Amino acid sequence: MATELFEGHYVWHPAADDRVLASVCVDVRAGRYRYAYEALAETRTDFALRAHRSLVLASEAAGTDLVERWLAEEPTPEAALMWARVAVQRALRAADARDERAEALERIALTACDRAAAMAPRDPTPWVAKLAMARLHRLRDPAPRGLLTAPPGPWRLFTHVLSLDPWHREGHHRFLSCFFTRYGGSVNAAWDVAAFLSQRAPADSALRLLPLVALVESYNPTQLLADRVWEQPQWRSTALAIYQNWLPTVGRYRFTPVLDLAYLAHALVMGQCAFEARAVFAAMGPYASRMPWSVFGDPADQLSRARRACGLPVPRPG
């Protein structure tokens, strides 16, 4: 990963500075999968990169028949994984839109995930894709000891993901989202799960950000002093600890972890830690993500507002 200077505009593409992925996205939009196979094949032992690339590519391919053609012509583990990723995206979109095809698409997605898992038994990514759909049915396995609210959820499926990769970033985020209020959970359960999972993770892990994600998710602008929550000692200390322990590791990533950096920058700005936030924005370079900024308004406006609070340049109007 190479941090780049901000040159007056934001780059919103989810590939960020993964040049290979950005190039392959162009190919996928053109209906070609050869380079997609190569980009994924090289990640067979790098599960973080595999999750990132397959998810971004699926968003490019979901509206086409590319993955079906690929799987029919070259049934590799990568083709099966991409079919699973695309099928899950289609199922979730249909469910959220209350589309009458939602149940059928979900069955297809479950079949796709099972096929991908069978073709690559050590790969957690198909199981993480399946975990993304767990919120549709409110799976209610009992919680392990150590959680104050003991919220039931898809614990068995999550445990299997952990058996393949104990610190899988997307797996943790997918699991946490099952407890969000918009998916039938509660604020207290989400905070409880986020704290439980983050405390298990190493001090320099990006998973330490999970409580900050839950905090954004619980944001309610109608509450008194809602924007001052991040100034509370527990949240400032959480953000500062992540800044001290995780941020120095970002230079070793194979791509800029824009979303994680955005959550940290946001928490530091809201917690009145502008000096530390500047360093996080420097690590982000020009790359931007809609979350968490979109929770508070137009994402570009909110990002620019946060950068101005740190004395940093923002894009010129027009």
Side-chain angles (χ1 to χ4, degrees):
M1 187 199 76
T3 301
E4 299 185 16
L5 295 175
F6 179 76
E7 296 181 347
H9 65 280
Y10 300 134
V11 178
W12 297 93
H13 197 287
D17 56 351
D18 186 337
R19 303 290 188 232
V20 170
L21 178 58
S23 175
V24 172
C25 283
V26 176
D27 259 34
V28 168
R29 284 196 293 272
R32 299 185 293 265
Y33 61 76
R34 166 56 48 198
Y35 293 115
Y37 165 75
E38 294 177 1
L40 289 175
E42 72 163 307
T43 69
R44 288 181 181 178
T45 59
D46 185 339
F47 297 139
L49 190 61
R50 193 170 182 81
H52 171 63
R53 285 184 174 177
S54 61
L55 188 61
V56 172
L57 290 175
S59 68
E60 298 286 355
T64 74
D65 67 348
L66 177 77
V67 294
E68 286 85 358
R69 284 194 292 108
W70 181 1
L71 191 62
E73 294 168 8
E74 296 186 17
T76 60
E78 284 66 40
L81 174 60
M82 283 304 302
W83 183 42
R85 284 296 214 177
V86 164
V88 167
Q89 285 203 15
R90 290 170 179 164
L92 290 174
R93 290 174 184 173
D96 291 342
R98 302 187 183 280
D99 191 309
E100 61 183 11
R101 300 169 297 169
E103 287 189 17
L105 289 171
E106 185 182 354
R107 287 194 296 272
I108 292 171
L110 289 171
T111 298
C113 290
D114 288 341
R115 178 169 179 173
M119 293 184 72
R122 296 184 180 180
D123 183 4
T125 323
W127 297 95
V128 171
K130 185 181 285 191
L131 186 58
M133 292 191 293
R135 65 175 172 83
L136 299 180
H137 296 295
R138 302 290 299 150
L139 299 178
R140 302 186 68 80
D141 306 327
R145 293 180 180 178
L147 287 94
L148 294 175
T149 59
W155 290 96
R156 289 193 188 94
L157 182 53
F158 181 56
T159 298
H160 185 70
V161 171
L162 299 187
S163 73
L164 298 170
D165 184 357
W167 313 119
H168 197 282
R169 183 204 173 278
E170 186 188 341
H172 280 73
H173 281 263
R174 294 289 189 187
F175 181 68
L176 175 60
S177 70
C178 292
F179 301 93
F180 290 166
T181 54
R182 58 188 157 121
Y183 299 138
S186 69
V187 169
N188 288 338
W191 280 349
D192 197 11
V193 171
F196 177 76
L197 297 179
S198 67
Q199 288 163 10
R200 291 176 61 254
D204 62 353
S205 169
L207 298 178
R208 291 283 177 151
L209 284 151
L210 290 171
L212 299 182
V213 174
L215 185 60
V216 168
E217 186 67 26
S218 69
Y219 175 72
N220 182 353
T222 66
Q223 290 182 339
L224 185 65
L225 303 177
D227 290 341
R228 304 293 294 274
V229 171
W230 285 264
E231 296 178 34
Q232 294 177 5
Q234 71 178 99
W235 297 116
R236 286 188 64 178
S237 63
T238 296
L240 289 170
I242 297 166
Y243 165 81
Q244 292 163 359
N245 296 312
W246 173 67
L247 185 62
T249 74
V250 169
R252 301 198 295 266
Y253 280 54
R254 290 186 63 181
F255 60 92
T256 299
V258 179
L259 186 57
D260 289 333
L261 288 166
Y263 273 100
L264 179 56
H266 171 264
L268 290 168
V269 170
M270 297 291 281
Q272 305 297 319
C273 300
F275 174 81
E276 291 82 1
R278 283 177 65 95
V280 181
F281 282 124
M284 290 171 65
Y287 304 105
S289 61
R290 287 185 54 80
M291 289 290 286
W293 315 109
S294 60
V295 172
F296 306 88
D298 177 81
D301 291 345
Q302 293 297 313
L303 175 55
S304 292
R305 180 180 176 184
R307 288 180 62 92
R308 285 193 202 96
C310 300
L312 294 173
V314 300
R316 297 187 187 90

